[in-house]
Amino acid sequence: MMERLSRLIRQLPIKWKLMLGATALIFLLFATYNFAQYLVLKQWMMNQEKDEIQVSMAQLQDYFQEKSSAMDALQVAESRFYIEKMIGKNQLVRIIGKDGQPILTVSNHFEETWVSPKSVAEPELFDTTYKEDHILIYRSPLTTERFVGTLELASNLETFDHFSETLLWVMLISGGLAVFISGISGLALARQLMRPIRALASTIRSVKEKGLTERVSNIENGDELSSLAQLFNELMNQLEISFRQQKQFVEDASHELRTPITILEGHLSLLNRWGKSDPAVLDESLEASLQEIRRLKGIVQELLTLTRVESQLVSETSKPIQLEPLILETIKRFEALNPDFEFQTDTEKIRDVSLSISPLHLEQILLIVLDNAVKYSVQDKRIIIDGCQLKNDVEITIKDHGIGIPQADLPYVFDRFYRVDKARNRVTAGTGLGLSIAKQFVYNYHGEMTIRSEENVGTSVSIKLPMNQIVG
């Protein structure tokens, strides 16, 4: 039974779980408080009843002690008039002789048979029940010069019980109303809390049916659920951008791969028709085919490099390397391959700087940027390499005086396969993946890579990397 109930509760919607949980908690708190309050009040009222009966007993004892000089059994009987005046409603006063027989009994709406007479040597105070009546009994020895007996005082706690019962019902009814109100309030609160979650679930269904353009409506609650909805919208924005970039990547990759494949297919068809017997056609087609194959190989190789870079985790235990010697060595080797270019280097400000970076990675970043600078510099063949030390970073700037990049194209130069239109030709080799690879390397080392450019003036590439330490 308990297992079935537990399974049923687990299957309830969250709003009902919240409502039931809040109701149960308030019920337990209210019930505990009311029960404790009821016990305290009941005990306090019982103490009041005991105090009253003790006061009455003390008055009777004082009365009989004053008459002790002439007190005997006959005169005890004559004390009825005084007792009738001081006795309260639902009470009984009885004087019991030494032999245990009642000498005087005075009652007010109290049956004598409810309490049996009993002699005592020590005072006793207790409560008991007779059928449905709750009775408080106080017995005390009564001793004078001429009399020895017991003074018995009993009180029917009917009023006390009635008040206790009324108090209990009031607490139960108010507790029930409080639980009912808390349940309704909990349900309303749960609905309010669930509104952002329902909006989020509805949006997820819409995304599943209509695509990534759906968003959660603005929820201005200012709470954690609003933050969750905002985070979901931001996530969907990133996913939409990612899918758009992925689609663009597939389109660009298809475009880049389709051209050499088409050329290969054309030359192979040409060879199949006429090249077998024409050496000139054979040589031309083979050379063109080999060139396109090399291009395909380069594209595939750079795609593999980019994939490895994106999935690579930078080792936290990379040994720091001194920056200036590596930059100078890389430029020296690159300068040997491009003797018609002038490389102006200023690395004085980073002479004592070291970075925790793989030398191969830094070399590849520099080679990619230098290759682009050389490739798109036609008239002015000056390449300026400058290094400076910032507060927490080191910045390497490579500036050329080439054809530049239009402002409209600058936001996209790091996208895969993206090349500025006037650079998309077969005279200038390239796949449009180099800058993507370089930026991913820099990103992996928590750095930043930015480009500033002006058409027909030149391009400046800035590479910022966090410093490891200063070698003193």
Side-chain angles (χ1 to χ4, degrees):
M1 181 63 182
M2 292 300 297
E3 183 179 353
R4 182 180 177 183
L5 180 60
S6 176
R7 185 169 61 252
L8 181 62
I9 293 176
R10 287 197 301 268
Q11 293 173 351
L12 287 174
I14 293 179
K15 66 177 182 180
W16 289 106
K17 289 181 182 178
L18 290 174
M19 187 273 286
L20 291 175
T23 302
L25 179 60
I26 292 176
F27 171 77
L28 290 175
L29 292 175
F30 197 88
T32 302
Y33 172 77
N34 274 2
F35 183 69
Q37 187 180 43
Y38 172 75
L39 291 180
V40 170
L41 287 175
K42 186 176 180 179
Q43 185 62 39
W44 178 80
M45 289 187 297
M46 176 59 74
N47 290 335
Q48 290 295 107
E49 294 288 341
K50 289 181 179 180
D51 289 342
E52 289 180 6
I53 202 172
Q54 286 175 336
V55 169
S56 298
M57 177 65 75
Q59 291 176 349
L60 290 172
Q61 291 277 10
D62 290 342
Y63 171 78
F64 288 116
Q65 290 296 332
E66 289 177 358
K67 297 183 176 295
S68 60
S69 59
M71 196 70 174
D72 56 21
L74 181 61
Q75 291 170 330
V76 167
E78 294 176 353
S79 301
R80 176 184 296 272
F81 178 73
Y82 172 77
I83 296 174
E84 288 177 348
K85 286 180 60 177
M86 62 86 60
I87 194 172
K89 187 179 180 181
N90 297 324
Q91 284 189 337
L92 173 140
V93 175
R94 184 158 50 198
I95 300 175
I96 303 172
K98 190 175 183 180
D99 56 356
Q101 296 298 318
I103 298 175
L104 173 65
T105 301
V106 179
S107 64
N108 186 354
H109 295 85
F110 194 105
E111 293 291 336
E112 297 180 22
T113 56
W114 292 352
V115 178
S116 299
K118 176 185 175 183
S119 298
V120 295
E122 297 290 337
E124 60 178 25
L125 176 61
F126 63 95
D127 62 306
T128 184
T129 57
Y130 179 82
K131 296 182 179 179
E132 296 180 357
D133 294 301
H134 186 195
I135 300 171
L136 181 63
I137 302 173
Y138 189 20
R139 294 189 179 101
S140 177
L142 178 62
T143 304
T144 66
E145 294 178 0
R146 303 171 64 181
F147 179 82
V148 176
T150 299
L151 184 58
E152 191 174 66
L153 182 58
S155 178
N156 190 344
L157 299 179
E158 178 182 0
T159 303
F160 167 81
D161 290 339
H162 179 70
F163 183 79
S164 298
E165 184 178 355
T166 303
L167 179 63
L168 180 61
W169 276 108
V170 168
M171 289 184 174
L172 290 176
I173 293 172
S174 61
L177 288 175
V179 170
F180 175 75
I181 294 173
S182 66
I184 298 299
S185 303
L187 182 59
L189 181 60
R191 285 180 176 175
Q192 181 67 19
L193 291 175
M194 289 299 297
R195 189 170 66 87
I197 298 179
R198 288 197 300 270
L200 186 61
S202 176
T203 303
I204 292 174
R205 284 192 294 269
S206 298
V207 168
K208 183 178 179 181
E209 296 171 0
K210 302 177 183 179
L212 298 175
T213 58
E214 298 295 315
R215 297 292 183 272
V216 180
S217 304
N218 289 332
I219 302 172
E220 303 297 337
N221 291 347
D223 54 13
E224 290 80 359
L225 292 175
S226 299
S227 300
L228 177 62
Q230 184 178 355
L231 286 174
F232 176 80
N233 285 342
E234 293 174 359
L235 175 62
M236 294 308 299
N237 290 336
Q238 293 178 357
L239 283 176
E240 186 177 6
I241 293 172
S242 178
F243 274 96
R244 193 184 303 121
Q245 290 177 343
Q246 189 72 19
K247 181 180 178 182
Q248 185 66 41
F249 170 74
V250 173
E251 292 175 354
D252 292 341
S254 300
H255 171 79
E256 293 292 333
L257 295 174
R258 183 169 58 246
T259 302
I261 290 174
T262 302
I263 295 173
L264 279 172
E265 184 181 18
H267 281 287
L268 290 175
S269 298
L270 183 62
L271 286 174
N272 189 44
R273 289 196 299 270
W274 300 298
K276 297 177 182 178
S277 55
D278 189 341
V281 174
L282 179 61
D283 289 341
E284 180 183 356
S285 297
L286 286 176
E287 180 62 29
S289 298
L290 286 173
Q291 182 178 350
E292 295 305 320
I293 287 174
R294 285 192 292 270
R295 177 171 175 76
L296 280 172
K297 183 179 179 181
I299 292 174
V300 172
Q301 185 62 39
E302 289 194 342
L303 282 174
L304 291 174
T305 301
L306 182 59
T307 302
R308 286 196 299 269
V309 172
E310 290 179 338
S311 61
Q312 182 179 18
L313 295 176
V314 177
S315 175
E316 297 293 338
T317 59
S318 298
K319 292 183 178 180
I321 60 168
Q322 284 195 300
L323 189 58
E324 186 189 31
L326 180 60
I327 294 176
L328 295 177
E329 179 65 25
T330 303
I331 293 173
K332 182 178 179 181
R333 287 191 283 109
F334 194 80
E335 189 175 10
L337 298 175
N338 300 274
D340 53 336
F341 277 81
E342 178 186 353
F343 294 89
Q344 301 176 3
T345 305
D346 181 8
T347 57
E348 181 68 25
K349 298 177 182 177
I350 58 172
R351 173 164 295 175
D352 296 328
V353 173
S354 64
L355 299 179
S356 290
I357 188 173
S358 167
L360 294 177
H361 293 168
L362 181 58
E363 181 181 356
Q364 190 164 1
I365 294 169
L366 295 174
L367 289 176
I368 289 172
V369 179
L370 289 170
D371 184 63
N372 278 345
V374 168
K375 191 182 298 180
Y376 299 113
S377 297
V378 180
Q379 301 296 331
D380 191 340
K381 297 189 176 184
R382 289 178 298 124
I383 309 297
I384 300 174
I385 300 96
D386 180 52
C388 68
Q389 181 179 324
L390 305 178
K391 183 178 181 181
N392 297 314
D393 303 304
V394 61
E395 183 178 37
I396 305 169
T397 304
I398 300 175
K399 182 178 181 181
D400 64 54
H401 300 80
I403 60 177
I405 303 171
Q407 293 298 314
D409 293 310
L410 273 177
Y412 309 105
V413 293
F414 290 113
D415 292 351
R416 301 169 181 177
F417 290 114
Y418 188 86
R419 288 188 293 171
V420 181
D421 288 340
K422 63 182 179 181
R424 284 185 180 274
N425 55 72
R426 296 298 160 194
V427 177
T428 303
T431 61
L433 291 173
L435 287 177
S436 298
I437 295 172
K439 185 172 184 179
Q440 189 62 47
F441 269 127
V442 174
Y443 176 79
N444 286 354
Y445 286 97
H446 310 291
E448 181 183 1
M449 188 172 180
T450 56
I451 294 181
R452 296 182 297 275
S453 185
E454 185 178 347
E455 280 192 277
N456 301 318
V457 175
T459 301
S460 176
V461 180
S462 174
I463 303 165
K464 287 184 182 178
L465 293 168
M467 285 188 297
N468 177 71
Q469 63 180 5
I470 306 298
V471 180

